[in-house]
């Protein structure tokens, strides 16, 4: 009898504590955010129990003064919130009822990149999850400038672009989309943004050169159309041939018209000659 009671007690304890248990789930993969835009940092409770009565705390890992958002006693308590996050965080209280403690972060900055922890505490249980936020800042469209020719007729080009984060990849591509290797490469970091400058020398066969600057999820591209000397002399020749052909056609038409008039004249003369001949011939008959 004692043994049965004891077993029941244990079973009761186990089921009781299981009812209190939940798991907090963040994001396995990094969350990508774009500088200037908004992002949702995911945090879900499984099973999807109501967490309205619980404490929800978002903070940054490996960073002092790291409180990002605090919800406690049914209200947002952001008096100790880090200055960098002032007025930029929002916890949807309706979603809390469905076990969703995802945080909306507005006007993302490069500074926001890093690890965040979502900590959810009930009276008898607590769990947390980590969210890794990666930020991308899209810079200015690349600008290609022509830096002159070298003695062998190669064209020196320079491509520049600024305002990127993280460090972007710059590549030159020919008209077939084949990557061309840069001659010189330069990267500068200005506070949290990168600027890049690459140069290349192109020879006559490539007539369209693209300069592409890219991050993992964004890219910008500029195109320059170069015409080599040989190509332009070919073009001049083609234009000359075309003009010559058009002139020939016009000349042909004019000659034909004149010739027809001339032929009419000849015919008139001819007929007059014939007439004359007839006239002169008639008395002979
Ligand atoms: C959780 O809430 C956020 C808004 O705070 C919403 O964007 C997201 O879709 C919700 N997630 C789920 C799984 O409902
Ligand atoms: C966070 O994500 C980035 C990729 O965007 C990765 O390089 C970095 O190692 C991740 N950090 C952690 C702690 O997982």
């Amino acid at each position: 009898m004692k043994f049965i009671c004891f077993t029941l007690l244990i079973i009761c304890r186990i089921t009781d504590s299981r009812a209190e248990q939940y798991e907090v789930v963040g994001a396995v993969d990094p969350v990508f955010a774009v500088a200037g835009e908004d992002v949702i940092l995911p945090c879900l409770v499984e099973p999807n129990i109501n967490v309205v009565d619980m404490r929800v705390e978002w903070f940054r890992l490996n960073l002092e003064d790291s409180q990002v958002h605090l919800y406690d006693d049914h209200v947002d308590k952001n008096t100790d919130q880090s200055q960098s996050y002032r007025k930029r965080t929002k916890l949807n209280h309706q979603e809390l009822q469905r076990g969703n403690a995802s945080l909306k972060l507005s006007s993302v900055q490069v500074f926001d990149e890093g690890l965040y922890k979502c900590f959810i505490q009930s009276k008898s249980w607590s769990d947390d999850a980590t969210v890794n936020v990666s930020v991308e800042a899209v810079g200015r469209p690349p600008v290609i400038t022509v830096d002159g020719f070298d003695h062998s007729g190669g064209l020196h080009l320079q491509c520049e672009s600024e305002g990127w984060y993280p460090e972007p990849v710059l590549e030159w591509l020919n008209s077939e989309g084949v990557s061309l290797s840069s001659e010189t490469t330069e990267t500068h970091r200005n506070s949290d943004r990168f600027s890049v400058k690459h140069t290349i020398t192109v020879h006559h066969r490539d007539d369209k050169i693209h300069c592409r600057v890219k991050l993992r999820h964004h890219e910008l591209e500029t195109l320059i159309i170069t015409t080599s000397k040989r190509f332009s002399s070919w073009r001049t020749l083609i234009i000359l041939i075309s003009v010559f052909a058009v002139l020939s056609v016009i000349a042909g038409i004019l000659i034909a018209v004149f010739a027809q008039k001339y032929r009419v004249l000849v015919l008139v003369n001819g007929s007059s000659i014939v007439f004359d001949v007839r006239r002169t011939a008639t008395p002979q008959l």
Side-chain angles (χ1 to χ4, degrees), residues 40 44 92 95 98 100 102:
I40 303 267
L44 299 173
N92 188 326
E95 289 289 335
R98 303 199 280 139
N100 179 359
S102 302

Side-chain angles (χ1 to χ4, degrees), residues 185-255:
T185 67
E186 268 178 56
T187 306
H188 293 288
R189 189 173 183 160
N190 186 358
S191 67
D192 55 18
R193 302 295 176 109
F194 289 90
S195 57
V196 282
K197 190 202 290 190
H198 287 207
T199 63
I200 195 172
T201 303
V202 294
H203 295 279
H204 299 313
R205 258 166 294 149
D206 288 312
D207 52 331
K208 279 183 193 164
I209 306 290
H210 301 255
C211 173
R212 181 182 290 166
V213 182
K214 62 180 184 181
L215 295 173
R216 209 164 146 161
H217 300 96
H218 300 87
E219 63 178 44
L220 293 175
E221 193 176 294
T222 301
L223 164 74
I224 185 166
I225 299 171
T226 65
T227 49
S228 68
K229 272 186 192 153
R230 222 166 121 196
F231 180 68
S232 66
S233 64
W234 265 108
R235 198 152 69 165
T236 314
L237 197 62
I238 288 166
I239 291 169
L240 283 178
I241 289 169
S242 311
V243 169
F244 184 74
V246 170
L247 284 178
S248 306
V249 170
I250 293 171
I253 291 168
L254 288 176
I255 287 168

Side-chain angles (χ1 to χ4, degrees), residues 54-248:
M54 300 185 192
R55 177 187 167 98
V56 176
E57 192 177 350
W58 275 97
F59 55 94
R60 292 238 359 212
L61 283 181
N62 325 317
L63 207 72
E64 277 179 46
D65 181 27
S66 69
Q67 199 191 87
V68 175
H69 195 98
L70 175 64
Y71 169 91
D72 198 13
D73 290 334
H74 304 100
V75 287
D76 296 305
K77 290 186 174 168
N78 283 323
T79 44
D80 292 333
Q81 185 184 41
S82 157
Q83 196 65 40
S84 335
Y85 291 95
R86 278 283 140 86
K87 298 195 167 119
R88 291 204 295 132
T89 59
K90 194 168 185 295
L91 200 62
N92 188 326
H93 295 189
Q94 230 108 53
E95 289 289 335
L96 289 179
Q97 295 170 12
R98 303 199 280 139
N100 179 359
S102 302
L103 187 75
K104 184 181 177 184
L105 183 60
S106 323
S107 322
V108 169
Q109 301 164 12
V110 170
F111 163 85
D112 296 335
E113 182 165 279
L115 295 176
Y116 291 72
K117 200 142 240 186
C118 167
F119 175 80
I120 301 182
Q121 187 176 38
S122 73
K123 285 184 188 75
S124 56
W125 188 258
S126 72
D127 193 21
D128 61 44
T130 307
V131 177
N132 182 1
V133 175
S134 281
V135 176
E136 286 193 352
V138 183
R140 304 256 176 83
V143 173
I144 301 177
T145 46
V146 178
D147 247 5
F149 289 93
D150 66 12
H151 51 272
S152 65
L155 185 62
H156 293 303
L157 298 176
Q158 177 186 297
C159 180
E160 262 185 295
S161 184
E162 57 181 30
W164 298 81
Y165 182 87
E167 187 179 340
V169 171
L170 186 154
E171 58 180 1
W172 295 98
L173 303 163
N174 68 10
S175 46
E176 281 91 44
V178 177
S179 182
L180 310 168
S181 56
S182 299
E183 248 153 44
T184 66
T185 67
E186 268 178 56
T187 306
H188 293 288
R189 189 173 183 160
N190 186 358
S191 67
D192 55 18
R193 302 295 176 109
F194 289 90
S195 57
V196 282
K197 190 202 290 190
H198 287 207
T199 63
I200 195 172
T201 303
V202 294
H203 295 279
H204 299 313
R205 258 166 294 149
D206 288 312
D207 52 331
K208 279 183 193 164
I209 306 290
H210 301 255
C211 173
R212 181 182 290 166
V213 182
K214 62 180 184 181
L215 295 173
R216 209 164 146 161
H217 300 96
H218 300 87
E219 63 178 44
L220 293 175
E221 193 176 294
T222 301
L223 164 74
I224 185 166
I225 299 171
T226 65
T227 49
S228 68
K229 272 186 192 153
R230 222 166 121 196
F231 180 68
S232 66
S233 64
W234 265 108
R235 198 152 69 165
T236 314
L237 197 62
I238 288 166
I239 291 169
L240 283 178
I241 289 169
S242 311
V243 169
F244 184 74
V246 170
L247 284 178
S248 306

